[in-house]
Amino acid sequence: MSAPNNSYDPVRVAALAPDEVDRMTAEALAAIAAAADFDELKQARLAHQGGRAPITLASAEIGALPPEARAEAGRRISAAKRAIAEALTARQADLEAERDRRVLIDEVADVTLPWNRYPAGARHPVTTLAERISDVFIGMGYEIAEGPEVEAEWYDFDALNFPPDHPAREMQDSFWIGRPDGAGRSGLVLRTHTSPVQVRSMLTRPLPLYVVSPGKCFRTDELDATHSPVFHQIEGLAVDEGLTMADLRGAISTFVAAMFGEGLRTRLRPDFFPFTEPSADVSMECHVCRGASTEPGAPPCRVCRSQGWIEIGGCGMVNPRVLIACGIDPDRYSGFAFGMGIERTLMIRHGVTDIRDTLEGDVRFTAAFGVEA
Ligand code: DAH
């Protein structure tokens, strides 16, 4: 800072001369206008507005002027500083506007492009079909009953009237569970059907009793187009006073109508199961050709192999021996039962020809069934 006046030095204060201030201002404005980006503008600001800028240094010399000249020099310097500050602000605004314009072009996003390339997962068609079948029976007043997949032999066989050495036990090739010490069978088996849930229900639920039991079953079958060692069944059981085969037939017809369409006939033919007496196999009229393929000269039907009928499960009146094993008086109560394969129902309903498609988990198969939650 210069000392106040009387030693006024015209050389030192030349920086305050109008021409010189104009020159510094013009130089500053030119540098600001030439700043092509924020960095260059920052340099221009330091050079022309900072503590070491010519105009700042010049303003420090005002005190060196004779008193009568200071006001005018002060105005000149102020006007120059204002012009520089305004130019800086304007250039800053220009650069920001330019940047914003460029961002819109360079970083353009097509908001119409689909971004979600991960399809939502969905439950397996076997699961959703099991629930649909259950719902049909829930609509008739049935409840859902469940049992374990690792089952006691007693529930899977004995209580269902398969005696220990009865050949009927061999009807179902079982995965026996060994004892941990390797010394023979443990008395447990991977359940070969859902029928043991009948026994569990009769032992634990009050009468009358109406239950359906969907679930996984296991048999030592080789995997091929129509067999799988793991599959699903749905079991039905009703125990009440005065039930007859007509009630059984009604339940089955309601199921067939709900799953395959109204007006399809059902057919029961004598069969054998140890836990039902009498027993029957259940068929329904082919929902595709409705029997037409059996007419002479008619085109063949792939679905029923031109038989007109499709077998869908087994059924019967609960064997009194099973009722007794479960502590139910067969003179007062009677019951009916039925069992169906869920994969088989799915295959018939949707024209699936290979059961392996239902368990391989290939989404190209399952996606065709939609994304029912
Ligand atoms: N449990 C039988 C099976 O796995 C199916 C079956 C037949 C279930 C007749 C029943 C029935 O409830 O009454 O082959």
Side-chain angles (χ1 to χ4, degrees):
M1 198 55 177
S2 308
N5 182 28
N6 22 27
S7 58
Y8 166 49
D9 175 352
V11 177
R12 278 183 57 202
V13 294
L16 291 167
D19 283 356
E20 187 55 16
V21 171
D22 285 350
R23 193 193 58 74
M24 290 188 288
T25 310
E27 198 179 315
L29 296 184
I32 293 165
D37 56 33
F38 292 109
D39 265 352
E40 288 182 24
L41 189 61
K42 189 174 165 193
Q43 295 309 321
R45 181 177 285 117
L46 275 175
H48 297 285
Q49 201 183 37
R52 308 220 42 84
I55 200 79
T56 313
L57 296 175
S59 71
E61 298 301 332
I62 290 177
L65 286 176
E68 65 279 8
R70 290 181 198 163
E72 207 213 314
R75 269 194 301 279
R76 200 160 34 242
I77 291 290
S78 294
K81 283 184 170 176
R82 208 176 319 114
I84 292 169
E86 279 168 10
L88 283 167
T89 308
R91 186 67 191 136
Q92 175 79 19
D94 280 355
L95 287 175
E96 282 173 8
E98 172 60 20
R99 177 198 59 197
D100 293 349
R101 237 190 335 272
R102 218 173 321 115
V103 159
L104 286 180
I105 295 164
D106 293 350
E107 299 179 15
V108 68
D110 182 352
V111 293
T112 65
L113 278 177
W115 60 272
N116 185 358
R117 303 235 168 233
Y118 301 100
R123 289 179 313 154
H124 194 274
V126 168
T127 308
T128 49
L129 182 62
E131 278 182 19
R132 278 196 192 187
I133 299 174
S134 301
D135 283 347
V136 172
F137 289 100
I138 287 169
M140 289 191 263
Y142 286 61
E143 294 174 359
I144 303 284
E146 286 179 323
E149 290 170 5
V150 178
E151 183 58 285
E153 279 184 48
W154 187 82
Y155 287 104
D156 203 89
F157 295 116
D158 301 78
L160 289 168
N161 195 36
F162 292 82
D165 302 320
H166 196 287
R169 226 178 251 235
E170 305 314 320
M171 277 166 60
Q172 300 179 350
D173 300 317
S174 313
F175 286 107
W176 306 105
I177 310 278
R179 284 168 42 141
D181 61 9
R185 285 193 200 167
S186 63
L188 295 173
V189 63
L190 296 189
R191 71 176 174 197
T192 58
H193 50 179
T194 43
S195 302
V197 187
Q198 288 188 29
V199 179
R200 290 180 173 275
S201 303
M202 285 188 272
L203 285 171
T204 55
R205 291 178 184 240
L207 299 176
L209 175 70
Y210 291 83
V211 293
V212 277
S213 317
K216 216 169 256 169
C217 306
F218 308 85
R219 292 188 200 173
T220 58
D221 286 329
E222 289 293 331
L223 185 62
D224 64 23
T226 53
H227 296 88
S228 161
V230 186
F231 57 100
H232 295 76
Q233 286 187 340
I234 184 159
E235 189 84 13
L237 171 70
V239 181
D240 204 341
E241 292 182 41
L243 288 180
T244 69
M245 278 198 103
D247 300 300
L248 167 60
R249 185 109 196 225
I252 287 169
S253 298
T254 306
F255 159 76
V256 168
M259 281 294 124
F260 296 97
E262 295 288 336
L264 292 168
R265 289 180 297 158
T266 55
R267 181 181 76 180
L268 302 188
R269 289 185 308 183
D271 200 345
F272 172 76
F273 300 99
F275 40 92
T276 41
E277 184 57 39
S279 303
D281 70 36
V282 184
S283 301
M284 67 173 200
E285 194 176 14
C286 175
H287 58 301
V288 174
C289 75
R290 297 206 171 224
S293 64
T294 60
E295 301 293 330
C301 177
R302 276 194 310 139
V303 176
C304 64
R305 282 192 241 92
S306 305
Q307 299 297 298
W309 294 95
I310 301 171
E311 204 177 314
I312 56 170
C315 70
M317 299 305 291
V318 179
N319 191 319
R321 295 172 66 101
V322 175
L323 294 175
I324 291 166
C326 297
I328 295 171
D329 178 2
D331 291 329
R332 180 167 171 204
Y333 289 100
S334 57
F336 64 76
F338 52 86
M340 291 168 298
I342 296 175
E343 283 84 356
R344 180 156 167 76
T345 306
L346 183 88
M347 290 168 77
I348 296 167
R349 196 163 179 258
H350 297 277
V352 177
T353 51
D354 195 324
I355 196 172
R356 288 169 291 200
D357 287 337
T358 68
L359 33 94
E360 278 171 354
D362 188 329
V363 292
R364 288 171 298 182
F365 172 76
T366 51
F369 292 85
V371 287
E372 206 173 316

